[in-house]
Amino acid sequence: MMELLWYSYAFSGRGEHETSLLEPVPPGETLYLTKKPPDTTRITPAFLRDSDTYLIAMLRDPRAVVASRHRNRPDVYFASFQRWRAYATAIKRLGGHPRFAVIRFESLVTAPDAVQADIETWLPFLSRSRAFTEYPEGAAVPPLAEASLNGARPFDASRLDGWRTHLPRIKGQLEAHPDLTESLIEFGYEADDAWTALLEGVAPYRQTYKETPPSPLRRWETNLRYRLKTRRYLRSRSLR
């Protein structure tokens, strides 16, 4: 989404790859674009108090999220359902806020023109230069972002069911997090639990990489760091 926005609209500047909302905006920027997924659970206080900030949250089928791999580490999965759950919970809390929008990855891939029109209705100050559907023709994607995206690729709806080729991973996550099925129903990805028939006879795959929750000390340290960053951010915004 960040690359599509940068590709299609006139922003004055951007973070190269993943830059926290709470980092100072460089001087002279008038419409600045950033993203940092881990911010999702911790930026609500800053967002609610900064009327110049607009947020887009991307929502995707959790089965596809937990089946995601990076080409630099093809031997491991990069996200667990517990992370998806934490992000989804934070997204629900901000639902309905006029400066907050939720866009489903599935809608973006299958109906990019409609999604782009919705964004422009919501953010009328954007100045369009290109259509989403033209991406990635002529796109200048920063190296770090290109690596994270596994390359700049056109829209491909066939990838939406790619999680079906990772059933051992899905089985392992379902056994570790039985509420996965409830979340699929709640967010409209499934009508019931009939889909779990796909997992019959499948041996679960489990890994420890990025699956272990942080220690209480690590959580405390992270919470404190974000509180301090939030204070600095709001102070800098009020001074400007």
Side-chain angles (χ1 to χ4, degrees):
M1 175 54 69
M2 180 173 176
E3 297 308 321
L4 284 173
L5 291 173
W6 180 254
Y7 177 80
S8 302
Y9 299 99
F11 287 87
S12 63
R14 61 169 289 173
E16 181 182 0
H17 177 42
E18 292 196 356
T19 303
S20 174
L21 167 70
L22 302 177
E23 295 296 326
V25 175
E29 300 291 358
T30 56
L31 188 60
Y32 197 69
L33 180 65
T34 68
K35 78 153 188 179
K36 191 173 181 66
D39 275 356
T40 303
T41 59
R42 301 181 186 277
I43 57 173
T44 296
F47 168 70
L48 293 177
R49 293 178 59 185
D50 186 355
S51 60
D52 287 332
T53 296
Y54 294 79
L55 295 180
I56 293 177
M58 295 298 300
L59 186 66
R60 189 175 185 182
D61 186 328
R63 293 167 296 190
V65 172
V66 303
S68 176
R69 282 176 163 167
H70 195 292
R71 67 182 177 186
N72 291 340
R73 289 290 305 275
D75 57 322
V76 297
Y77 293 98
F78 267 72
S80 67
F81 177 71
Q82 71 179 9
R83 177 183 292 189
W84 185 95
R85 185 203 298 123
Y87 288 5
T89 299
I91 288 170
K92 283 174 59 179
R93 291 196 191 106
L94 287 175
H97 192 285
R99 289 185 286 109
F100 180 80
V102 179
I103 294 177
R104 290 180 180 260
F105 178 83
E106 296 80 10
S107 298
L108 178 63
V109 170
T110 57
D113 288 333
V115 169
Q116 187 170 16
D118 287 343
I119 291 174
E120 290 173 353
T121 299
W122 174 51
L123 303 176
F125 52 78
L126 291 179
S127 176
R128 184 199 282 209
S129 57
R130 286 182 281 203
F132 282 0
T133 50
E134 296 177 47
Y135 185 86
E137 182 179 350
V141 182
L144 286 176
E146 185 171 13
S148 177
L149 294 169
N150 289 328
R153 296 171 290 177
F155 295 100
D156 181 5
S158 67
R159 296 176 55 227
L160 295 180
D161 285 334
W163 60 267
R164 293 173 180 265
T165 63
H166 299 267
L167 295 183
R169 168 64 169 174
I170 306 303
K171 180 73 169 285
Q173 287 291 285
L174 180 60
E175 289 187 353
H177 308 285
D179 57 320
L180 189 157
T181 293
E182 296 173 15
S183 293
L184 289 170
I185 296 171
E186 177 185 358
F187 286 89
Y189 288 105
E190 294 288 349
D192 50 41
D193 64 356
W195 72 275
T196 59
L198 292 170
L199 306 178
E200 293 180 6
V202 174
Y205 171 85
R206 300 182 180 90
Q207 67 178 32
T208 57
Y209 181 77
K210 293 195 174 184
E211 303 286 328
T212 305
S215 67
L217 180 60
R218 179 65 181 273
R219 280 200 302 270
W220 178 87
E221 185 276 332
T222 302
N223 289 336
L224 176 60
R225 180 159 43 84
Y226 265 89
R227 281 198 295 270
L228 295 175
K229 288 173 66 174
T230 298
R231 289 179 184 176
R232 287 195 297 267
Y233 172 80
L234 291 173
R235 191 179 302 121
S236 70
R237 297 293 290 164
S238 64
L239 289 174
R240 291 179 63 196

